[in-house]
Amino acid sequence: MRTRLTLHAITISIFFLFGFIFHLSAQQKKLSLSDLSQNQIVDGFKAEAIYLNDANEPMGGRFVHQATGFTLDLLQIESVP
């Protein structure tokens, strides 16, 4: 039962993640992490925090969906130089 609940939670998280990314990409104005500020609301998601890298540039953030309370932690990590 617990494994089943975990699987459902992961499935729902993936659904919201792809929906969030698709929604951002569907906007007419391209929005990047450097354009966001803390507590800014974009398409129903509130930027709770902006994560910075060692060069003090945005590399991710914590976004909370206002209608559902779903929390999305997004990190953009360069995996290949």
Side-chain angles (χ1 to χ4, degrees), residues 43-78:
D43 291 330
F45 282 88
K46 181 179 180 182
E48 292 281 323
I50 304 297
Y51 304 142
L52 304 175
N53 62 14
D54 59 343
N56 216 24
E57 298 171 347
M59 64 173 283
R62 172 168 283 193
F63 303 95
V64 178
H65 191 248
Q66 297 296 285
T68 62
F70 176 78
T71 300
L72 172 68
D73 287 313
L74 178 70
L75 293 174
Q76 292 181 335
I77 300 172
E78 185 177 323

Side-chain angles (χ1 to χ4, degrees), residues 1-45:
M1 181 73 171
R2 185 179 183 131
T3 304
R4 191 176 199 183
L5 288 175
T6 303
L7 181 60
H8 285 299
I10 291 171
T11 303
I12 290 170
S13 297
I14 291 171
F15 172 76
F16 275 110
L17 174 64
F18 284 117
F20 179 72
I21 292 171
F22 177 75
H23 205 11
L24 283 180
S25 66
Q27 292 181 350
Q28 291 195 6
K29 179 186 174 205
K30 292 288 183 180
L31 187 65
S32 69
L33 289 171
S34 59
D35 296 331
L36 293 175
S37 60
Q38 191 171 358
N39 296 321
Q40 181 179 352
I41 298 176
V42 177
D43 291 330
F45 282 88

